[in-house]
Amino acid sequence: MKQAGIASWSGKRVWVIGASSGIGEACSTSLLAAGAKVALSARRIERLTKLASTAQINQTLVLPVDVTHREQLESAYQHILENWGALDLLLFVSGLYVPLRADQFEMDIAEQTIDANLLGPMRAVAIVLPEMLQNHAGHIAIVGSVAGYSGLPKALAYGPSKAGIINFCETLYYDLLPQGISVHMISPGFVATEATAQNDFEMPALITAEQAAKEIIVGIQNGEFDIHFPKRFSRFLKFLRILPYPLYFWFVRRFVQI
Ligand SMILES: NC(=O)c1ccc[n+]([C@@H]2O[C@H](COP(=O)([O-])OP(=O)(O)OC[C@H]3O[C@@H](n4cnc5c(N)ncnc54)[C@H](OP(=O)(O)O)[C@@H]3O)[C@@H](O)[C@H]2O)c1
């Protein structure tokens, strides 16, 4: 059994959470250009409004939310239902990255990271699932990261939050495939955005947010579960994680010098 893709974006109702910058903004721009209706969510309303001003009238909804507040997500979703009747795709892109090593491990940052990156997507999924299950239709796409594949330096809170996303998507896929709902797990490598601008090392296989958006949109169109890119980097990390631990840690210490 293969899950459904999206053959045409024209008129499709998409909720992009994390639309105010980076990968989410690039996805929203591409989806709007392809004729989808896009509900734009994140905290920075001025960015969302600016993006909406580039679209056609009635093509967007501007719904500011903080993903750590369940009631804000709930009211945004109600707004979507009232205006559009249903949702075809939840595209959860929003995320928080604060570099963290063991010698400056801060519990506040860990809690914020798990709250935004793991509990945030869980909240959004819990909200959209009842209608999707009722209709036996819909798509759930969540941006995780290749940093969730296995432990990497400077990712003491970010890595576990993204590892959780992988497990969450895998488990969702089991349950939702027989229900006619597609799940898309998205694992980017390095993408040039505000989040990575803070990195003080040379990022291997760095791509633009527009390239990332293209990979994501084509992957969803094709009904792919495991959307990972750029392949030259993500395949290498997939290979590393199947190595025995001594070899894995040797590789990481030898080649990831950050
Ligand atoms: N860039 C990379 O190399 C890379 C690699 C792998 C995975 N990723 C993942 O890709 C996703 C997008 O990241 P990006 O690189 O495009 O970074 P970005 O430009 O910093 O975008 C992050 C987005 O998340 C939103 N956001 C953060 N916290 C939020 C909150 N509490 N509530 C609502 N929205 C929130 C931000 O909007 P507001 O600030 O306006 O709320 C913004 O729209 C993240 O999940 C990230 O982990 C990125």
Side-chain angles (χ1 to χ4, degrees), residues 49-134:
T49 309
K50 192 170 166 212
L51 181 53
S53 71
T54 65
Q56 290 173 18
I57 292 167
N58 295 332
Q59 203 187 0
T60 57
L61 295 171
V62 173
L63 305 171
V65 298
D66 182 328
V67 300
T68 63
H69 294 271
R70 186 160 36 151
E71 68 289 352
Q72 293 184 18
L73 287 164
E74 278 165 354
S75 79
Y77 182 58
Q78 279 315 312
H79 213 87
I80 292 172
L81 290 186
E82 280 158 24
N83 282 271
W84 295 344
L87 184 69
D88 299 300
L89 165 65
L90 166 68
L91 177 53
F92 195 104
V93 190
S94 157
L96 168 71
Y97 170 61
V98 182
L100 213 53
R101 299 200 84 128
D103 58 359
Q104 7 93 11
F105 189 49
E106 279 185 48
M107 207 46 221
D108 281 351
I109 295 174
E111 285 180 7
Q112 285 160 18
T113 304
I114 298 293
D115 200 3
N117 293 5
L118 181 57
L119 296 179
M122 285 181 166
R123 289 184 188 102
V125 168
I127 289 166
V128 304
L129 261 182
E131 273 82 22
M132 287 190 178
L133 285 167
Q134 205 173 7

Side-chain angles (χ1 to χ4, degrees), residues 229-249:
F229 54 85
K231 294 282 189 294
R232 63 189 185 279
F233 187 59
S234 52
R235 281 193 180 130
F236 179 62
L237 289 178
K238 274 176 182 281
F239 162 70
L240 282 191
R241 74 174 170 175
I242 59 165
L243 292 176
Y245 275 131
L247 256 182
Y248 171 74
F249 287 123

Side-chain angles (χ1 to χ4, degrees), residues 18-24 42-44 65-68 93-96 116-117 143-146 158 162 188-191 193-196:
S20 61
S21 63
I23 300 171
R43 290 165 303 182
R44 288 170 293 178
V65 298
D66 182 328
V67 300
T68 63
V93 190
S94 157
L96 168 71
N117 293 5
V143 175
S145 169
V146 294
Y158 183 76
K162 296 299 187 178
F190 287 110
V191 184
T193 65
E194 288 172 24
T196 47

